[in-house]
């Protein structure tokens, strides 16, 4: 359950904000959280693009 | 005369024969005695042979015992070495113990000199906080920002896309030279801008009303995280919106996805600290 929870984008966002606001770490500490978040965003936008394109073509 | 001579000779021969017979019988007796003595000697030889074999067995036993004694000697030498080491260690330990007792005596002497308050509370606790000048709100701030941004980005993106689809404005927009990629880019940019504005409002409210001050050197990274985080949820929201038929469905779908994430993200219960 902990592994599933840590794979969610909200958990990564909270951890990224923790490292920025509480631990005050630099950019290198954030890349581990930002890259999966970017992957989530790109995959979501890509899926939306494919489905919208299919809907328009139909 | 001749007869007398012959008779005399015969008598002397007879006497000689008698002597020979007597001597023969004596010899025979001597031989018998010699046989008896030989038999006795044979018995003695047999006894001596038996005793010699016994002596050999005894000698082999003695040799075995000697070997065992050698081994015992070697072992006893090892044991004596160990005993020497042990005695040396015991001596050292005793000296250490004596020095510790002397030191304790000294400490006890010092304690007698000290005040009763120092004796009553001999341990001093000094607090050395890891996060200086940080309140509970400082630790709540990341969770509040992320929850607000998640709901705003998720709901706004899904509802706007569904609205565009249901009101057929998406088709009308795409009849213009605008492509679908540009449309999605524009929508995403607008929603990211809204999320950034939300982030700014949150930071300002946290500072003005709750006194939560974010260091100036961390503001750039904070808005970078807000940008990427809101982009992720806008993307997921748009993907959810393409499956929904109405705004209500999109909103409920967003809630069905976001609320379990909210409970599993570790805001309400620190799942990382749970056992297993």
């Amino acid at each position: 359950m902990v592994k599933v929870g840590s794979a969610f984008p909200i958990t990564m966002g909270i951890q990224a904000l923790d490292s920025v606001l509480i631990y005050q770490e630099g950019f290198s500490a954030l890349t581990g959280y930002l890259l999966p978040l970017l992957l989530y965003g790109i995959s979501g936008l890509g899926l939306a693009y494919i489905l919208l394109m299919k809907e328009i073509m139909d | 005369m001749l007869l007398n001579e012959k008779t005399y000779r015969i008598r002397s021969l007879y006497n000689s024969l008698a002597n020979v017979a007597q001597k023969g019988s004596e010899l025979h007796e001597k031989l018998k005695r010699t046989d008896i003595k030989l038999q006795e000697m044979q018995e003695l030889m047999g006894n001596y042979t038996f005793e010699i074999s016994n002596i050999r067995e005894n000698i082999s036993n003695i040799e075995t015992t000697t070997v065992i004694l050698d081994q015992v000697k070697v072992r006893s030498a090892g044991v004596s070495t160990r005993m020497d080491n042990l005695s040396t260690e015991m001596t050292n330990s005793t000296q250490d113990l004596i020095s510790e007792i002397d030191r304790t005596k000294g400490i006890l002497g010092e304690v007698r000199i000290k005040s009763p308050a120092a004796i009553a509370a001999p341990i001093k606790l000094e607090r050395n906080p890891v996060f200086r000048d940080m309140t509970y709100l400082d630790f709540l701030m990341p969770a509040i920002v992320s929850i607000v941004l998640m709901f705003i980005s998720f709901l706004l993106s899904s509802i706007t896309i569904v609205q565009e689809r249901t009101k057929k404005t998406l088709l009308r927009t795409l009849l213009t030279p605008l492509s679908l990629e540009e449309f999605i880019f524009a929508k995403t940019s607008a929603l990211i801008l809204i999320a950034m504005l939300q982030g700014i409002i949150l930071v300002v409210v946290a500072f003005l009303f709750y006194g939560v001050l974010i260091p100036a050197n961390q503001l750039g990274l904070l808005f970078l995280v807000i940008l990427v985080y809101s982009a992720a949820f806008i993307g997921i929201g748009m993907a959810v919106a393409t499956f929904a038929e109405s705004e209500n469905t999109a909103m409920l779908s967003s809630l069905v996805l976001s609320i379990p994430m909210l409970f599993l993200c570790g805001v309400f219960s620190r799942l990382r600290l749970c056992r297993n």
Side-chain angles (χ1 to χ4, degrees):
Chain A
M1 199 60 80
V2 176
K3 284 177 184 173
V4 172
S6 57
F8 288 147
I10 184 171
T11 316
M12 290 174 191
I14 289 169
Q15 286 173 352
L17 287 170
D18 273 345
S19 64
V20 169
L21 296 176
I22 296 171
Y23 305 111
Q24 297 184 2
E25 291 170 322
F27 180 75
S28 57
L30 290 176
T31 49
Y33 307 118
L34 294 184
L35 286 174
L37 282 173
L38 269 177
L39 199 70
Y40 269 114
I42 290 164
S43 57
L45 288 172
L47 185 64
Y49 173 78
I50 292 164
L51 291 171
L52 284 174
M53 183 63 86
K54 192 180 171 186
E55 189 178 322
I56 292 160
M57 290 300 170
D58 291 339
Chain B
M1 196 67 178
L2 186 66
L3 187 66
N4 285 332
E5 278 181 11
K6 283 186 179 179
T7 305
Y8 178 73
R9 281 184 185 175
I10 288 165
R11 277 182 184 171
S12 63
L13 192 65
Y14 176 78
N15 288 331
S16 298
L17 281 170
N19 286 330
V20 167
Q22 192 179 355
K23 284 182 181 176
S25 65
E26 284 175 358
L27 273 170
H28 183 69
E29 282 179 5
K30 281 181 181 177
L31 278 169
K32 276 183 182 176
R33 285 176 194 162
T34 308
D35 283 338
I36 289 162
K37 281 183 180 176
L38 277 170
Q39 282 176 358
E40 286 174 0
M41 280 178 75
Q42 277 181 349
E43 284 177 2
L44 284 170
M45 285 292 283
N47 290 331
Y48 288 146
T49 310
F50 179 70
E51 283 179 4
I52 285 164
S53 66
N54 286 335
I55 287 163
R56 277 181 185 165
E57 282 180 6
N58 287 331
I59 286 166
S60 66
N61 288 333
I62 287 163
E63 283 175 354
T64 311
T65 310
T66 310
V67 171
I68 290 165
L69 280 170
D70 285 338
Q71 289 174 357
V72 169
K73 186 182 171 185
V74 171
R75 283 181 188 173
S76 64
V79 169
S80 67
T81 310
R82 283 180 193 171
M83 287 294 285
D84 287 340
N85 293 332
L86 195 66
S87 68
T88 311
E89 285 177 7
M90 284 290 285
T91 310
N92 292 332
S93 301
T94 311
Q95 284 176 354
D96 289 343
L97 197 64
I98 289 164
S99 63
E100 281 292 319
I101 287 166
D102 291 338
R103 201 172 63 81
T104 311
K105 277 181 186 172
I107 290 165
L108 283 171
E110 287 176 6
V111 168
R112 276 179 204 141
I113 297 163
K114 283 180 182 175
S115 66
I119 298 164
I123 299 166
K124 281 185 180 177
L125 291 174
E126 290 181 5
R127 288 179 64 191
N128 190 12
V130 179
F131 299 104
R132 291 177 190 278
D133 304 327
M134 287 187 91
T135 59
Y136 181 62
L137 277 172
D138 289 306
F139 291 95
L140 269 184
M141 185 74 180
I144 292 167
V145 170
S146 58
I147 290 167
V148 169
L149 286 176
M150 179 185 75
F151 279 111
I152 293 287
S153 309
F154 217 156
L155 290 172
L156 272 181
S157 61
S158 59
I159 288 168
T160 50
I161 293 294
V162 168
Q163 275 182 344
E164 295 277 357
R165 282 174 58 222
T166 52
K167 290 178 182 175
K168 303 293 182 187
T169 49
L170 177 63
L171 276 174
R172 285 180 211 158
T173 311
L174 291 175
L175 286 174
T176 63
L178 192 78
S179 65
L180 184 61
E181 297 93 333
E182 287 167 345
F183 172 79
I184 288 173
F185 179 74
K187 277 280 174 193
T188 310
S189 306
L191 289 166
I192 285 172
L193 270 176
I194 291 168
M196 296 287 274
L197 279 171
Q198 286 283 337
I200 291 166
I201 291 166
L202 280 169
V203 169
V204 171
V205 168
F207 175 64
L208 290 179
F209 292 96
Y210 299 102
V212 177
L213 182 63
I214 294 161
N217 58 345
Q218 295 295 106
L219 280 173
L221 283 175
L222 173 67
F223 285 109
L224 176 70
V225 171
I226 288 173
L227 191 147
V228 177
Y229 181 71
S230 55
F233 275 105
I234 288 162
I236 298 167
M238 280 189 183
V240 168
T242 51
F243 291 104
E245 295 295 327
S246 66
E247 290 175 29
N248 289 333
T249 316
M251 197 171 67
L252 285 171
S253 304
S254 302
L255 288 174
V256 162
L257 283 174
S258 57
I259 287 173
M261 278 200 277
L262 190 64
F263 279 102
L264 287 171
C265 70
V267 172
F268 301 112
S269 57
R270 289 287 172 187
L271 293 172
R272 277 177 292 174
L273 302 178
C274 291
R275 192 176 280 181
N276 298 325

